[in-house]
């Protein structure tokens, strides 16, 4: 069974993107083993502390290595990638030993797909920024830039988060494409 690691680009307790990751896990159901990366304690990337890797970085790398694929669910911050997620990806983009450029990173060659629960832009900016970054990290981006969702305005005002049938269908289609890529 495909092992999928969810990475949520928000630390917010009631994060819409965490809720979307749960929705995706429900869609995947029994067809995948889904886990979520907890990286709240990750330090800021700083080359002074890069080797040996801090424990939180080693844990994040081990979780990535144990997964067949990575599914990123992220908000859009100022039309781009939230800082916490960019910090994580910067850590994961690095070689495991100093100057070991041939050894690669844990992300290199790994299959990845991206969804964004955002405002009116439906995450267009963050999806485009991430596509460029993940391809730069030599990951295999499945499903193009991914699926962007405009969160229902009531949810922003404290009401319930609701996915429209079209949004759920888009996530379902993305899940099928990702499973096919992981199983193929
Ligand atoms: C610093 C900051 C910048 C934001 N910029 C954008 C943006 O460019 N586009 C957008 O759709 N929403 C933007 N938002 C609103 C987020 O989409 C909204 O806060 C969303 O709930 C965050 O996702 P989460 O619920 O998973 O934390 C921004 C929010 C913050 C805090």
């Amino acid at each position: 069974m495909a092992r999928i690691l969810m990475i949520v680009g928000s630390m917010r307790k009631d994060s819409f993107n965490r809720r979307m990751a749960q929705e995706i896990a429900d869609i995947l159901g029994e067809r995948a083993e889904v886990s979520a990366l907890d990286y709240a304690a990750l330090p800021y990337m700083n080359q002074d502390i890069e080797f040996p890797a801090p424990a939180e970085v080693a844990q994040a790398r081990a979780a990535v290595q144990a997964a067949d694929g990575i599914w990123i669910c992220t908000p859009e911050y100022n039309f781009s990638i939230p800082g916490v997620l960019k910090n994580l990806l910067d850590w994961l983009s690095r070689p495991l030993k100093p100057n070991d450029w041939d050894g690669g990173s844990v992300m290199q060659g790994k299959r990845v797909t991206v969804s964004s629960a955002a405002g009116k832009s439906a995450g267009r900016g963050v999806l485009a920024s991430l596509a460029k970054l993940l391809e730069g990290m030599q990951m295999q981006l499945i499903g193009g830039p991914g699926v962007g969702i405009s969160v229902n305005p009531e949810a922003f005002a404290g009401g319930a988060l609701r996915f429209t049938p079209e949004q759920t269908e888009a996530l379902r289609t993305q899940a099928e494409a990702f499973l096919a890529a992981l199983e193929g």
Side-chain angles (χ1 to χ4, degrees), residues 8-12 14-18 74-80 117-123 151 156:
V8 176
S10 170
M11 295 291 144
R12 201 165 77 84
D14 297 324
S15 162
F16 300 144
N17 284 277
R18 190 165 304 114
T74 183
E76 173 174 281
Y77 278 4
N78 295 306
F79 314 105
S80 191
K120 279 203 186 100
S121 75
V151 166
F156 280 110

Side-chain angles (χ1 to χ4, degrees), residues 79-144:
F79 314 105
S80 191
I81 306 166
V84 288
L85 177 61
K86 179 66 165 55
N87 182 54
L88 170 70
L89 294 174
D90 284 338
W91 274 112
L92 295 176
S93 73
R94 300 287 286 171
L96 305 182
K97 289 185 247 154
N99 302 313
D100 181 16
W101 309 116
D102 295 332
S105 73
V106 292
M107 296 292 250
Q108 207 172 316
K110 195 68 81 175
R111 280 156 290 196
V112 63
T113 196
V114 183
S115 308
S116 176
K120 279 203 186 100
S121 75
R124 244 189 322 277
V126 69
L127 293 179
S129 303
L130 270 173
K132 193 170 159 201
L133 172 64
L134 300 172
E135 278 167 1
M137 286 168 68
Q138 297 174 33
M139 299 190 77
Q140 291 183 52
L141 190 57
I142 309 296

Side-chain angles (χ1 to χ4, degrees), residues 12-89:
R12 201 165 77 84
K13 182 164 51 69
D14 297 324
S15 162
F16 300 144
N17 284 277
R18 190 165 304 114
R19 297 269 302 284
M20 183 170 65
Q22 185 54 58
E23 178 85 4
I24 292 164
D26 291 346
I27 288 170
L28 290 166
E30 309 263 286
R31 298 170 69 195
E33 200 181 300
V34 180
S35 57
L37 183 70
D38 178 0
Y39 64 101
L42 202 73
Y44 289 127
M45 161 47 76
N46 174 348
Q47 288 185 269
D48 291 341
I49 61 163
E50 195 175 0
F51 302 106
E56 297 84 356
V57 175
Q59 279 158 19
R61 282 185 176 144
V64 168
Q65 277 170 325
D68 300 309
I70 310 290
W71 196 319
I72 298 175
C73 292
T74 183
E76 173 174 281
Y77 278 4
N78 295 306
F79 314 105
S80 191
I81 306 166
V84 288
L85 177 61
K86 179 66 165 55
N87 182 54
L88 170 70
L89 294 174

